[in-house]
Amino acid sequence: MEDEMERGVLKKLPVYYAATTLISLLVFPMLVRNPFTAVFMGGDAEKYEEFLRERIPFVIDIMIRLLTPDDNTSN
């Protein structure tokens, strides 16, 4: 990953930023499953499962945006 950053393929940032971002995007929804389901989905576990399925492209998009170099980033 660091080699890709050096070559400008990925945005240059500490690898632990990317790792902790990905981990938090994946783990946090699991940690708050019960209260989130109760508060925002009326206790409907299937709605929460649907939310998790819908979230997959959202997480992918966030990671792509995080790692894609832009014109304002010095690589």
Side-chain angles (χ1 to χ4, degrees):
M1 191 170 190
E2 289 173 339
D3 291 341
E4 301 293 314
M5 289 178 187
E6 289 302 320
R7 292 188 308 168
V9 176
L10 297 176
K11 186 183 293 183
K12 200 171 193 178
L13 63 127
V15 174
Y16 57 85
Y17 281 17
T20 56
T21 299
L22 179 60
I23 291 167
S24 65
L25 287 167
L26 297 175
V27 172
F28 184 75
M30 300 305 150
L31 295 176
V32 299
R33 175 187 298 265
N34 291 338
F36 191 93
T37 301
V39 171
F40 295 106
M41 300 181 172
D44 187 338
E46 183 51 42
K47 284 184 182 178
Y48 194 78
E49 293 302 319
E50 182 180 343
F51 159 72
L52 291 178
R53 287 189 297 275
E54 291 172 353
R55 187 173 165 80
I56 293 169
F58 176 74
V59 171
I60 293 168
D61 184 58
I62 288 173
M63 293 307 297
I64 289 171
R65 289 173 188 260
L66 174 67
L67 294 170
T68 300
D70 56 46
D71 296 333
N72 301 325
T73 302
S74 59
N75 262 346

